[in-house]
Every structure is written in structure tokens, then in C-alpha cells.
Amino acid sequence: MRIVVLAGGIGGARFLRGLRSAAPEADVTVIGNTGDDIHLFGLKVCPDLDTVMYTLGGGIDEDQGWGRQDESFRVKSELAAYGVGPEWFGLGDRDFATHIVRTQMLGAGYPLSAVTEALCTRWNPGVRLLPMSDDRVETHVAVTLDGERRVIHFQEYWVRLRASVDAEAVVPVGADEAKPAPGVLQALAEADVILLPPSNPVVSIGTILAVPGIREAVASAAAPVVGLSPIVGGAPVRGMADKVLAAVGVESTAAAVARHYGAGLLDGWLVDTADAASAAEVEAAGIRCLAVPLMMTDTGATAAMARAALALAEEVRA
């Protein structure tokens, strides 16, 4: 079975771990969000790609869900002593090594897709990890701070501000001129199943779909497309997705997110049992909907979610 997953960071990575457990023989390709990418300290940092790579490769800090386990921060402390920031973004010493290697390879002329493949050689994540594009795309957020409207990098909004102010607009800068990375469109065309995990629908999966050609490839694929709601009981399972959903005029409900993706993209949608009453609303929008437990409390629970998504894919395929 050839499965393609569009994935952001923590939620996408943890879902993928459950998917590998549920379908160990499957050929899984992950199209990773690069809109969160940022240049820090002269280095190219790819938070979502690294979170998938570290999680599936056994190197993630399980408590945080990002960064390396057994991490230290001596380099960050030394940079701060020189007055070099930003201090709000915590790169650990082990993590620095990944970004140094990536930046060196990019500087030598290798595209991000080739660099990602090389980095994964060490981690052996058990999936084929592709960036959505080799071109530079950065998600920016319009906010009002101290009475002044500004546009800031998504990482500053999410990490430094903790989404404490309203997002007035979300813009994937550069996405309209980007091209899908090599292998992305082919993977979608050849897939048996396409899954949208419970990643952020605006700044993770939404940014991937903003690259010209990717949404069209998903919508026109022969494979069934099944998504899992990141909203449970009217609130994000993790993070502050409600803030960016509001910026694009979408309510923080499982049904509203399904309608946001649309019947032209989704064939099936899983909601949590807490939102079972919304299934009829999703079905009325032309999307097959089932209610199952969607809390990724451990790998077993996540594997059960993955199996439910694959079963729904088979149902809508028929």
C-alpha cells in the first residue's frame, strides 16, 4: 500500500508514528510543511521536517514534542552572552548540528529535498520524507502590536508571542511562486491513500496546499483522501490553531474545518467521539464522516486512529 501523508510538525509526526505501527508494510511518503522554516544565526532551520525526522528516528524530546532528547544549550547561552539573539527560539547544541549540516549542503548547491534525504540517512525514519518545495516559502502573520499593524514570521507569532494577540491574516510568502519538490506530484498521483493528519489546517497543511499544483494533485488523485480533525470538543488538541483559523474566517469546530478543506478535496473525515453530533453536518457537505477516538495519548491509540482512517479510505473507495 502506498500512503501519502501531508504533515506539519508535532501532530503530524506523532500520527505518522501511529501509522507506521498500524501499517508496518506500507510504503509511506510524507510531504512536509516548510512554511515554518526560518533562518537563525546564519542557519537554515526546518522545524517541521526535523520534528518528523527526529520523532520517527527516535531522537525527539518526547515531553516537548520538538527538539532533541538529552539536549543542552551551551551554544545558545554563549550567543546570548555576545548579545546575539533571538533568545526566544531555543536551538539546542545537538539540534545545531542538523542545521549546520543542512546549511552547508544548501550552500554547496544541493536542493532542500536532497539535503533532507541525506539527513534522513542517519535517522532512518522509515518513511520517505519530502519537503513540499525546494523553494523558499515562509508563513507570515499580520498582527497589531502596541497599536501598530505589523507582519511577523509565524515562528515569532507562535513561539515568542504564544499567539497571545489575534492573527489578522496568514500569508504563505513565496508559495504562489514555488514549485512542488521533486517526487511530490508523482507520489500523489501513484498513492493508494492520501491522509491529512490532525496537523494545523491553516499553517501546516494549508501551507502545503498553497504550493501551486499540490492541491490540484490531491483533489484529482485516484486515491481516496481522508482527514482527521485537529479540533476536539471545539478546541485544538494541541497548540493555538483556533487563532489562525479565526484569521481565515473558520470556526474552531471539527465540522467547520472539514468544510474549510471542502468536498472537492476530502472524501472522508474523522471526528472525535466528543463531536459525533457534527457528523451529519459534515455528511451534508458531501464528505463521509465517522466519529472515533482522536486523542493521541500513546502509540497504540494513535495506531487505532490510523487504522480507522485507512478503513474509511477503503469505504469511500468502494
Side-chain angles (χ1 to χ4, degrees):
M1 183 187 301
R2 292 165 295 187
I3 304 172
V4 175
V5 182
L6 277 59
I10 299 173
R14 289 181 172 173
F15 175 78
L16 284 162
R17 188 158 54 185
L19 177 63
R20 281 200 323 178
S21 176
E25 302 303 319
D27 178 358
V28 179
T29 296
V30 180
I31 301 172
N33 170 45
T34 60
D36 286 13
D37 291 7
I38 188 170
H39 283 79
L40 295 169
F41 313 112
L43 302 176
K44 170 80 165 180
V45 180
C46 300
D48 284 4
L49 294 179
D50 290 347
T51 295
V52 170
M53 184 174 70
Y54 292 157
T55 299
L56 299 183
I60 199 74
D61 183 317
E62 292 289 350
D63 292 332
Q64 291 183 147
W66 53 269
R68 293 287 306 281
Q69 63 184 358
D70 301 324
E71 189 60 281
S72 57
F73 293 88
R74 293 183 179 180
V75 174
K76 182 183 177 183
S77 297
E78 287 298 308
L79 288 167
Y82 281 112
V84 175
E87 294 187 16
W88 49 265
F89 200 96
L91 292 181
D93 299 331
R94 294 185 172 196
D95 204 19
F96 261 109
T98 298
H99 312 313
I100 291 170
V101 173
R102 176 185 293 117
T103 306
Q104 286 180 333
M105 292 188 68
L106 290 171
Y110 292 95
L112 182 60
S113 51
V115 175
T116 302
E117 182 180 5
L119 293 172
C120 285
T121 300
R122 173 190 175 184
W123 291 100
N124 190 27
V127 301
R128 183 187 184 200
L129 178 59
L130 301 176
M132 66 189 195
S133 177
D134 283 336
D135 300 315
R136 184 170 178 174
V137 179
E138 290 186 359
T139 301
H140 290 192
V141 181
V143 297
T144 298
L145 295 174
D146 301 322
E148 179 184 355
R149 195 168 194 263
R150 299 173 49 196
V151 177
I152 60 176
H153 194 287
F154 172 71
Q155 293 292 350
E156 184 175 359
Y157 178 72
W158 209 247
V159 179
R160 184 175 77 84
L161 297 180
R162 302 292 299 169
S164 58
V165 298
D166 290 339
E168 298 168 18
V170 178
V171 182
V173 178
D176 56 347
E177 299 177 352
K179 296 179 181 178
V184 167
L185 298 184
Q186 181 180 359
L188 291 168
E190 296 176 351
D192 296 309
V193 179
I194 299 172
L195 299 178
L196 308 187
S199 294
N200 192 303
V202 179
V203 296
S204 293
I205 295 177
T207 302
I208 298 171
L209 294 173
V211 176
I214 294 184
R215 175 181 284 273
E216 295 80 2
V218 173
S220 62
V225 181
V226 173
L228 297 91
S229 175
I231 305 296
V232 173
V237 175
R238 184 185 178 98
M240 301 148 283
D242 51 330
K243 291 296 185 73
V244 289
L245 281 168
V248 297
V250 178
E251 292 180 288
S252 290
T253 68
V257 173
R259 292 196 307 270
H260 171 67
Y261 284 132
L265 190 77
L266 288 177
D267 298 302
W269 185 243
L270 293 179
V271 300
D272 188 77
T273 49
D275 299 305
S278 69
E281 183 180 347
V282 177
E283 297 259 355
I287 302 166
R288 182 75 176 103
C289 185
L290 294 177
V292 299
L294 290 185
M295 299 302 289
M296 295 189 287
T297 51
D298 53 39
T299 301
T302 310
M305 291 167 51
R307 284 191 291 269
L310 294 174
L312 181 55
E314 287 304 310
E315 177 185 330
V316 297
R317 189 198 311 274

